[in-house]
Amino acid sequence: MADAVVLNARVGRVMPNPLFGARGQLPVAAPRAQPAARPTWRARLADVPRQWWLLGLLLAALWPHGVWLARRLTDGSDEPWGLLALATVLALVVRAQRELVMPARAALVAGGALAVLAALATFVVPPIFAAGTAMLALATFLASALPRRPAAPMATLLLLSLPVIASLQFYLGYPLRLATAHAAAPLLALAGVEAQASGAALLWQGRTILVDPPCAGIGMLWVGSWAAALLSYLSGASARRTLANGCVAAVAVFAANVLRNALLFFPEAGLVPAPAWLHPAIGLAAFAAALLPILAFAGRAPVALRAVTRSAGRAPARWPGGIARRTR
């Protein structure tokens, strides 16, 4: 009888099985975690910082000037160099987007007043002046929204985005050609060529070598101004230093243009053979000669910035080409 009880106890004992529970039942799987719900478009819009909303509202208020600017840059009436300036501003803002803060109330009021003034100016002055006022409104907003970045170079780049090359060619083209011809004559005299300046032309042995409108240097002047403004921004230049960089750029471009016209005198006068590639090659060489002093002068960090960097005990970071940038 005792053996039967022991046998029943052994038979009734259940051995654990990895596929079953302790009582022979299948294990119950744990419920899967539900994937997180995707944020709605309203939630995403709510996460956009207020300064970006205000920037979008300002751009929307300036849309008539943007439409006019797009038409002028694409209708062939002017050189589309302004697109380069706009792309530069966009790249600089995107690069510093983490530094964008809420503008001060005074900057918002000033920017809004300039936007209203730009809208009213379209009925009184030519569109380019109204668009210039709109660019100043945008520059005022960005100067306050990016307090750690220089304001004057940003405003200069925005103004350079305007279609001004045709207007500069109309108003400054002949004075620059006149000055270029009179400055090139002494250079030719140093080379043994007795050319005489007469108006915007050079006279030599009964020949008249004209300084034509493309040789006035307006395009080089625009590119030199753009390079000076960009270097001023990257080096953290003040408004005074930005103005000085622009003046150096103008002088360097004028000197390089005089040298270009003096060199072009020889093939134009028939003194040397003139292959098809010579004219653009001389232009590119003169343009490179103008950029070198601009890069050397405008690329230097301001004195105050160098003093702060030295007091911090570290050398300033350098951009390619020797351009010092602000360290953080």
Side-chain angles (χ1 to χ4, degrees):
M1 186 67 180
D3 294 339
V5 173
V6 173
L7 179 61
N8 290 338
R10 291 178 179 177
V11 172
R13 185 178 298 172
V14 179
M15 300 299 293
N17 193 310
L19 298 179
F20 297 91
R23 299 184 179 275
Q25 299 178 354
L26 289 173
V28 180
R32 294 183 178 180
Q34 296 295 330
R38 295 182 178 181
T40 63
W41 62 272
R42 292 184 179 180
R44 292 179 179 179
L45 291 180
D47 292 337
V48 177
R50 289 188 301 170
Q51 54 267 28
W52 287 104
W53 281 108
L54 292 176
L55 179 58
L57 290 176
L58 179 60
L59 293 176
L62 301 177
W63 73 267
H65 311 285
V67 172
W68 174 84
L69 183 63
R71 290 176 179 174
R72 279 294 308 271
L73 293 176
T74 56
D75 62 1
S77 61
D78 204 336
E79 298 292 337
W81 288 106
L83 295 176
L84 176 61
L86 284 177
T88 303
V89 172
L90 179 61
L92 294 177
V93 172
V94 171
R95 177 175 174 267
Q97 60 179 329
R98 296 184 181 275
E99 304 176 15
L100 202 69
V101 299
M102 188 67 183
R105 180 174 300 179
L108 293 177
V109 173
L114 287 172
V116 173
L117 182 61
L120 297 177
T122 56
F123 303 100
V124 182
V125 298
I128 190 170
F129 294 103
T133 307
M135 290 300 176
L136 291 178
L138 184 57
T140 303
F141 182 92
L142 292 177
S144 182
L146 295 172
R148 298 176 56 187
R149 300 295 175 175
M154 180 68 74
T156 303
L157 289 171
L158 286 172
L159 292 177
L160 286 174
S161 66
L162 299 173
V164 296
I165 295 183
S167 300
L168 292 177
Q169 190 69 258
F170 181 80
Y171 291 104
L172 296 180
Y174 181 77
L176 285 176
R177 291 160 55 199
L178 182 67
T180 300
H182 283 76
L187 288 180
L188 294 174
L190 293 176
V193 178
E194 297 297 332
Q196 182 181 0
S198 177
L202 293 169
L203 305 179
W204 179 73
Q205 294 185 357
R207 294 185 178 184
T208 301
I209 311 300
L210 293 174
V211 179
D212 53 359
C215 291
I218 297 296
M220 290 177 59
L221 180 61
W222 188 96
V223 178
S225 302
W226 169 82
L230 178 58
L231 294 173
S232 299
Y233 182 90
L234 295 178
S235 61
S238 62
R240 182 180 300 179
R241 180 56 186 268
T242 302
L243 178 60
N245 293 341
C247 294
V248 170
V251 173
V253 166
F254 177 75
N257 191 52
V258 171
L259 179 61
R260 177 180 70 166
N261 282 272
L263 293 175
L264 289 176
F265 174 86
F266 294 95
E268 295 295 333
L271 296 176
V272 296
W277 54 266
L278 183 60
H279 196 288
I282 292 178
L284 289 176
F287 181 66
L291 286 180
L292 288 178
I294 298 174
L295 181 63
F297 184 84
R300 294 188 302 172
V303 177
L305 177 60
R306 293 200 299 267
V308 171
T309 306
R310 291 195 188 101
S311 63
R314 54 181 179 177
R318 310 294 295 184
W319 290 94
I323 309 167
R325 64 178 176 88
R326 292 180 295 183
T327 54
R328 298 178 184 176

